[in-house]
């Protein structure tokens, strides 16, 4: 049995230089070990435009040097490959170009170039490029059989098709017929053919329309029954926004056919939407790959495995037209819409978005033949004016939020809609397939809106296996703000420490102190701060923060004991456990900790403990927040807190056991960057204050103060937080506001140093292995968290290697950093993993019996 085919399509810029052909040769050879490879190539970049220009010139009786320019580009490429453009091997290439010149001369003489002739002239670009490509590949050691695609793809014209359609925008049905390819390919492991071209049933040359090479490739892949279709282009894949407009746009790693088609038709120019139809129909995965960067994974388009709702991208199409007709005649008039749409069909103008109301129909038009000044549009307007008042907005932009089951994401999308404040929206439309939510706005509002929406929807989305690095990162932009970090100053000390070849956690106490002071200074509305020691229970950290006047928030009896042991009897401890054994409360109380309960259970199980005691209750506000679903601690399905609206019942149970409520406590989650989160919570607790009883002394708003994780994420605005809390504090005299941050105080103060054990290339992926992994730092594996990684040994050498940073643990999730640019490491170099001071060592394990990195403190 013959091995299966894979089809690789290379576009115009991907075949235009010798360097790119080297990549093509390398990729073809790599696959040819296990598969048969069909390369489908476009004409050299710019060729089709030049030939089209020559056709137009010939029709108008003008001379044109377009074919000579095309021939020169081919000769230059041949020379760059070390070939003599006049060599006998390149005779087929020259023959195709000569044929184009001959046909053009004929057209020029007669002043006529009907579609049938134009198709033959335009087809010579692909024919010549592949004839040249076959020789270049041979010179690189890859014997590729040149196939004329007209033997493989046959169009199916309809009887009434115009010649334009028949020859220049033909339809080719997708059929599976591997024998049609197997016969001419023979035993070749690599075959090479043209995109864009096919033949009519009568054997004449026809074209698939502009952008048709992608479609050719999909049709050929279906024909061959190929395993995968790879579209090689000059960008790394589909992005969450147009990266030229939004540099923080992220690569989409995986996407379903329908969403990808939606994206492609809404303005992502990476692939032609029509090419996805045949692939989807035959369930064939499509991979988008980047010819200049073959080491990158790109985007994979395949069947929708995950049906859960998701926002995938923000797009913008500019230069459209919005047209509205208003009339009272619409009320209750059956058939009005049929009359409205009839002239569109007659004028050949297709409609994109539609909105209707009682008395108005609005539509957007993507492309109007001859433009809004042209005859068809004028005639359309005249016809519509017969129906009612017509209003035209041109140019207009359509901004779309694209994803799947968009209607189910409205809760997530809602905060981003503030982007539309003070910008007129002319029409909103939700696609019937629920793949987009589109807004028609003034044309120049399009780009800033996309930027803003993208920021709001994507900047805080750390963990999403479907999304890859940002465009900036992929292009090798250095990771930001390293310059200011303490570890740059203390690099020599760190390298000395790591000289033993072991992994190390290192904490800089000066940074802890600085953060503690910064927070207190910025938030005078907060009466007392507690440090949530679960983030980092190192004794030196506890001592540093206690010395700064912070109390300690503990969640287990072990934390209470450790804090007491480190800080002595004067330290203020708050005990906020969740589902812990009743006995722990008694022991914590005995050690002098204030108790927080999150339900009535103690009243039932340990009434003796409550008698005469003041204690706090932890409430569930009904909503949560944070960097990942696993760290959001509010809402009905969360195990934390007593429902805020059932405070009365809880109070009577506790008071029944002889206790008084001295504090109300709530915690939304971890890694929150929105400054409104705590004021909103404070307002809720303040509204409950009267119902807690006379003994109430404080409201604790929990922790969760976030730090920017990914580059480009905006920092938590402490001034805005203070401004939000201040009026609440003022309205509650005698009641203290409390916060209990963990991460904010310690995350940036800690780094993980890990020695490089191996640098290994597997196929096209580079793995940099380090001496410790998820056993020391589980956050990337658990939450998809992003930690900056720098080659400390080489710092500040610019990053030049695109790699996956992995640990030694036997789990495929043991990846500390995906898709990172590093200054090329050698074995023994030390990688620094930043922001590791919070929930790093605290969550470490001995998994695989590998001890986690040991901790060192720098005073
Ligand atoms: N208060 C309570 C009641 C908490 O449950 C927590 C954290 C904090 C305060 C402190 O939150 P912070 O300011 O550190 O965000 N392992 C996760 C974080 C889990 C936090 C659990 N509770 C991570 O590595 O992101």
């Amino acid at each position: 049995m013959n091995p299966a085919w894979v089809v690789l399509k290379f576009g115009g810029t991907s075949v235009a230089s010798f360097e790119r052909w080297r990549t093509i040769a390398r990729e073809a050879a790599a696959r040819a070990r296990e598969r048969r490879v069909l390369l489908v190539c476009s004409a050299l970049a710019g060729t089709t435009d030049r030939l089209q220009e020559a056709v137009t010139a010939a029709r108008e009786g003008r001379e044109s040097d377009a074919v000579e320019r095309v021939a020169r580009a081919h000769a230059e490429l041949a020379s760059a490959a070390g070939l003599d453009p006049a060599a006998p091997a390149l005779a087929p290439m020259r023959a195709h170009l000569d044929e184009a010149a001959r046909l053009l001369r004929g057209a020029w003489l007669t002043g006529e170039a009907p579609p049938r002739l134009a198709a033959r002239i335009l087809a010579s670009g692909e024919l010549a490029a592949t004839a040249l490509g076959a020789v270049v590949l041979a010179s690189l050691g890859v014997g590729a059989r040149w196939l004329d695609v007209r033997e493989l793809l046959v169009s199916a014209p309809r009887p009434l098709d115009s010649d334009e359609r028949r020859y220049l925008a033909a339809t080719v049905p997708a059929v599976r017929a591997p024998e049609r390819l197997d016969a001419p390919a023979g035993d070749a492991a690599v075959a090479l053919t043209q995109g864009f071209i096919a033949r009519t049933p009568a054997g004449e040359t026809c074209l698939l329309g502009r952008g048709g090479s992608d479609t050719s490739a999909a049709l050929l892949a279906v024909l061959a029954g190929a395993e995968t279709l790879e579209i090689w282009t000059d960008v790394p894949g589909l992005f969450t926004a147009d990266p030229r407009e939004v540099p923080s746009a992220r690569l989409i790693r995986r996407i379903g056919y329908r969403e990808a088609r939606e994206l492609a038709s809404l303005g992502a120019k990476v692939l032609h939407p029509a090419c996805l139809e045949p692939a989807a129909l035959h369930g064939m995965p499509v991979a988008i790959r980047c010819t200049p960067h073959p080491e990158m994974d790109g985007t994979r388009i395949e069947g929708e495995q995950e049906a859960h709702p998701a926002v995938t991208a923000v797009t913008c199409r500019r230069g459209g037209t919005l047209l509205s007709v208003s009339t009272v005649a619409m009320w209750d008039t059956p058939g009005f819409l049929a009359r409205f749409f009839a002239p569109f069909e007659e004028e050949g103008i297709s409609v994109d978005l539609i909105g209707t109301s009682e008395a108005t129909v609005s539509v957007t038009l993507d492309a109007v033949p001859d433009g809004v000044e042209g005859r068809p549009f004028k005639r359309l307007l005249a016809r519509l004016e017969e129906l009612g008042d017509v209003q035209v907005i041109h140019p207009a932009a359509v901004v779309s939020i694209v994803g799947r089951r968009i209607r189910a994401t409205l809760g997530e999308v809602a905060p981003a809609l503030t982007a539309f404040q003070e910008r007129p929206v002319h029409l909103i439309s939700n696609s019937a397939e629920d793949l987009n939510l589109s807004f028609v706005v003034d044309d120049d509002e399009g780009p800033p809106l996309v930027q803003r929406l993208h920021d709001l929807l994507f900047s805080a989305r750390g963990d999403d296996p479907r999304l890859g690095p940002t465009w900036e990162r992929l292009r090798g932009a250095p990771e930001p703000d390293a310059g200011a970090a303490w570890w740059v100053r203390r690099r020599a000390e760190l390298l000395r420490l790591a000289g033993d070849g072991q992994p190390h956690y290192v904490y800089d106490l000066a940074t802890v102190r600085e953060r503690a002071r910064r927070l207190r200074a910025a938030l005078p509305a907060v009466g007392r701060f507690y440090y949530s020691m679960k983030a980092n229970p190192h004794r030196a950290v506890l001592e540093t923060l206690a010395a700064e006047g912070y109390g300690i928030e503990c969640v287990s009896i072990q934390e209470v004991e450790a804090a007491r042991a480190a800080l002595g009897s004067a330290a203020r401890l708050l005990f906020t456990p969740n589902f812990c054994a009743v006995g722990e409360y008694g022991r914590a109380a005995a050690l002098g900790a204030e108790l927080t309960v999150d339900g009535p259970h103690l009243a039932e199980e340990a009434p003796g403990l409550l008698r005469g005691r003041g204690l706090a209750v932890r409430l569930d506000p009904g909503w949560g927040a944070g960097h990942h679903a696993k760290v959001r601690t509010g809402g009905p399905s969360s195990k934390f807190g007593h429902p805020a609206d059932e405070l009365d019942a809880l109070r009577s149970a506790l008071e029944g056991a002889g206790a008084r409520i001295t504090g109300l406590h709530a915690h939304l989650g971890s890694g929150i960057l929105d400054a409104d989160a705590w004021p909103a919570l404070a307002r809720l607790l303040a509204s409950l204050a009267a119902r807690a009883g006379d003994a109430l002394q404080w409201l604790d708003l929990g922790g969760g103060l976030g730090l920017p994780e990914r580059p480009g994420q905006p920092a938590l605005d402490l001034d805005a937080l203070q401004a939000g809390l201040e009026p609440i504090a003022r309205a509650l005299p005698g009641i203290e506001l409390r916060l209990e941050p963990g991460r904010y105080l310690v995350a940036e103060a800690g780094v993980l140093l890990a020695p490089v054990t191996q640098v290994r290339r597997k196929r096209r992926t580079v793995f940099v292995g380090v001496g410790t992994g998820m056993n020391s730092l589980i956050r990337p594996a658990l939450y998809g968290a992003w930690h900056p990684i720098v080659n400390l040994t080489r710092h500040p050498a610019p990053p030049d290697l695109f790699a996956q940073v992995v640990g030694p643990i036997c789990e495929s999730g043991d990846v500390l950093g995906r898709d990172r640019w590093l200054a090329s490491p050698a074995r023994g170099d030390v990688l620094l993993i930043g922001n590791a001071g919070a929930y790093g060592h605290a969550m470490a394990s001995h998994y695989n019996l590998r001890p986690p990195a040991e901790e060192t403190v720098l005073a």
Side-chain angles (χ1 to χ4, degrees):
M1 240 194 60
N2 273 328
W5 286 98
V6 282
V7 174
L8 278 65
K9 181 255 165 178
F10 292 88
T13 49
S14 294
V15 296
S17 72
F18 179 50
E19 198 196 329
R20 297 287 179 264
W21 278 98
R22 271 192 215 272
T23 304
I24 299 175
R26 211 177 315 116
E27 296 297 328
R31 283 162 189 69
R33 282 184 227 124
E34 290 158 14
R35 307 271 181 267
R36 280 187 301 166
V37 179
L38 177 62
L39 304 171
V40 180
C41 297
S42 297
L44 308 194
T47 301
T48 310
D49 284 339
R50 294 214 176 107
L51 294 173
Q52 181 64 57
E53 199 182 295
V55 169
T56 311
R59 280 181 183 145
E60 294 169 357
R62 287 184 286 113
E63 302 242 27
S64 151
D65 65 350
V67 178
E68 284 90 85
R69 284 192 284 149
V70 167
R72 217 175 304 131
H74 284 75
E76 279 163 16
L77 174 53
S79 307
L83 304 166
D84 174 5
L90 288 175
M93 170 193 87
R94 292 192 300 271
H96 291 300
L97 296 171
D98 290 346
E99 168 81 348
R102 195 180 62 76
L103 295 173
L104 277 164
R105 223 166 9 253
W108 178 71
L109 284 171
T110 57
E112 276 177 31
R116 182 154 55 142
L117 182 64
R120 289 175 64 195
I121 296 170
L122 294 177
S124 55
E126 270 70 11
L127 292 164
T130 48
L132 170 57
V135 181
V136 174
L137 286 177
S139 76
L140 291 169
V142 176
R145 181 153 311 167
W146 186 90
L147 303 179
D148 188 330
V149 73
R150 290 169 294 190
E151 304 297 319
L152 306 173
L153 296 184
V154 185
S155 71
R158 280 168 302 191
L160 292 180
D161 274 356
S162 64
D163 274 5
E164 290 274 330
R165 225 194 136 81
R166 188 178 293 253
Y167 294 108
L168 300 177
T171 308
V172 175
V175 286
R176 188 160 197 256
E179 64 289 350
R180 222 192 275 170
L181 178 61
D182 288 346
D187 58 0
V190 180
L192 169 67
T193 194
Q194 307 79 39
F196 189 47
I197 315 177
R199 79 169 144 87
T200 66
E204 300 156 306
T205 302
C206 64
L207 307 177
L208 283 97
R210 294 310 291 268
S213 310
D214 289 342
T215 310
S216 300
L219 294 169
L220 287 165
V222 169
L223 182 92
E227 214 175 54
T228 334
L229 165 62
E230 299 181 14
I231 305 265
W232 286 75
T233 172
D234 49 0
V235 294
L238 290 168
F239 279 81
T240 54
D242 181 346
R244 285 162 306 183
E245 303 274 348
V246 184
S248 59
R250 290 177 66 183
L251 177 70
I252 300 172
R253 291 180 195 280
R254 279 185 289 117
I255 187 170
Y257 296 111
R258 290 188 315 148
E259 257 180 293
R261 190 197 57 205
E262 191 78 1
L263 253 181
S265 31
L266 287 175
K269 296 193 183 63
V270 177
L271 86 172
H272 199 271
C275 86
L276 292 172
E277 230 51 61
L281 212 60
H282 291 261
M284 182 175 49
V286 178
I288 301 176
R289 299 289 306 276
C290 182
T291 325
H293 287 289
E295 74 283 4
M296 291 178 184
D297 280 336
T299 300
R300 197 173 163 87
I301 305 169
E302 57 196 339
E304 263 106 56
Q305 304 116 327
E306 310 152 86
H308 63 258
V311 173
T312 309
V314 184
T315 64
C316 176
R317 275 173 308 158
R318 298 184 68 183
T321 307
L322 177 74
L323 199 159
S324 308
V325 174
S326 306
T327 171
V328 282
M330 232 179 116
W331 291 348
D332 252 356
T333 313
F336 180 86
L337 283 179
R339 274 190 283 141
F340 174 83
F341 282 117
F344 288 89
E345 184 182 3
E346 285 155 29
E347 298 302 337
I349 296 177
S350 64
V351 162
D352 187 26
L353 308 179
I354 305 176
T356 62
S357 70
E358 296 267 313
T360 303
V361 196
S362 296
V363 295
T364 62
L365 314 173
D366 236 1
V368 178
D370 297 341
V372 287
E373 299 301 329
R375 289 260 191 80
F377 191 68
K378 294 254 160 71
R379 285 196 299 261
L380 174 72
L381 289 189
R383 293 280 306 280
L384 294 177
E385 270 153 16
E386 293 166 17
L387 299 177
D389 290 336
V390 178
Q391 210 207 347
V392 175
I393 297 181
H394 177 88
V398 180
V399 171
S400 304
I401 296 173
V402 185
R404 48 171 187 248
R405 296 181 53 210
I406 286 286
R407 289 191 282 270
T409 68
L410 286 178
E412 181 193 338
V413 168
L417 297 183
T418 53
F420 289 97
Q421 255 164 15
E422 293 169 30
R423 291 186 164 111
V425 175
H426 304 299
L427 177 72
I428 300 183
S429 151
N430 171 225
S431 78
E433 279 184 289
D434 204 14
L435 295 167
N436 78 57
L437 184 62
S438 292
F439 304 83
V440 182
V441 295
D442 292 343
D443 201 56
D444 50 3
E445 293 286 8
L449 259 173
V450 168
Q451 176 77 55
R452 183 86 191 110
L453 278 173
H454 188 273
D455 280 355
L456 292 166
L457 286 168
F458 289 94
S459 68
R461 211 155 103 186
D463 176 42
D464 190 335
R466 298 205 315 150
L467 300 185
T470 65
W471 170 255
E472 310 165 288
R473 247 349 53 73
L474 284 168
R475 299 190 57 198
E479 288 174 359
D481 77 15
W486 62 267
W487 53 260
V488 175
R489 274 182 281 115
R490 307 192 79 161
R491 174 170 167 267
E493 267 169 281
L494 294 176
L495 286 174
R496 220 172 304 127
L497 185 70
D500 63 359
Q502 297 302 314
H504 293 272
Y505 268 111
V506 187
Y507 308 131
D508 179 58
L509 294 180
T511 300
V512 175
R513 213 170 288 123
E514 192 276 327
R515 294 296 185 274
R517 290 179 189 172
R518 186 196 292 182
L519 213 50
R520 291 186 70 130
L523 302 175
V526 175
R528 191 175 296 282
F529 287 91
Y530 282 74
Y531 167 53
S532 183
M533 72 179 278
K534 64 177 87 56
N536 185 334
H538 194 285
R539 184 181 181 120
V541 171
L542 298 182
E543 286 166 355
T544 304
L545 287 166
E548 292 300 318
Y550 281 61
I552 307 291
E553 187 247 351
C554 313
V555 288
S556 66
I557 186 60
Q558 291 77 8
E559 286 192 355
V560 174
E561 285 166 356
R564 252 317 153 239
L567 306 174
S569 56
R572 282 176 176 271
L573 306 185
L574 176 65
F575 186 50
T576 323
N578 177 246
F579 287 98
C580 81
V582 170
E584 281 191 36
Y585 287 96
R587 288 165 64 194
L591 286 168
E594 264 184 292
L595 303 188
T596 304
V597 295
D598 58 0
H601 56 293
L602 278 196
E604 292 148 17
E605 291 169 40
L609 180 62
L610 298 194
R611 197 152 309 123
R613 183 176 294 282
L615 45 76
V617 298
R618 174 167 179 174
L619 297 174
D620 172 4
W623 76 90
H627 70 82
H628 188 278
K630 293 194 177 111
V631 302
R632 289 174 210 139
T633 50
S637 58
S638 142
K639 69 179 180 132
F640 299 95
H642 187 78
D645 56 3
E646 293 174 19
L647 173 61
D648 296 342
L650 179 58
R651 176 181 166 189
S652 13
L654 296 174
E655 287 183 351
R660 291 157 293 120
I661 298 181
T662 50
L664 293 181
H665 178 287
H667 172 75
L668 293 170
S670 194
I672 305 169
L673 292 170
D674 173 9
D676 291 336
W678 297 270
L681 191 56
R683 279 189 289 276
L684 174 76
L685 295 188
S687 74
L688 297 170
R691 287 173 37 203
D694 295 338
L696 190 73
Q697 294 163 12
W698 50 267
L699 305 179
D700 185 328
L701 309 177
L705 288 80
L707 292 161
E709 184 188 58
R710 286 179 173 271
Q713 243 174 305
L716 173 63
D717 183 345
L718 292 181
D719 293 339
L721 177 51
Q722 164 63 18
L725 292 179
E726 199 272 335
I728 304 167
R730 203 157 10 96
L732 293 168
I735 294 195
E736 175 181 88
L737 289 189
R738 293 182 176 180
L739 278 181
E740 47 186 44
R743 174 194 318 271
Y744 190 90
L745 299 167
V746 291
E748 293 171 334
V751 296
L752 174 61
L753 304 178
V756 173
T757 53
Q758 287 175 41
V759 178
R760 192 158 14 129
R761 192 179 283 273
K762 184 172 149 194
R763 295 266 163 91
R764 57 175 198 277
T765 306
V766 179
F767 291 99
V768 172
V770 292
T772 192
M774 64 194 287
N775 56 324
S776 288
L777 183 64
I778 201 175
R779 300 189 72 252
L782 192 57
Y783 314 118
W786 196 95
H787 288 260
I789 304 183
V790 180
N791 184 344
L792 192 64
T793 307
R794 313 277 157 181
H795 187 80
D800 55 359
L801 180 74
F802 186 76
Q804 315 299 318
V805 180
V806 298
I809 300 298
C810 296
E811 295 252 351
S812 47
D814 186 27
V815 179
L816 291 173
R818 281 185 206 283
D819 300 333
R820 299 310 178 87
W821 284 97
L822 296 172
S824 286
R827 186 153 59 87
D829 278 7
V830 176
L831 296 195
L832 175 144
I833 297 137
N835 289 349
Y839 306 106
H841 193 272
M843 294 175 79
S845 73
H846 279 76
Y847 189 32
N848 289 183
L849 289 185
R850 290 189 184 277
E854 288 188 5
E855 302 171 283
T856 301
V857 168
L858 302 180

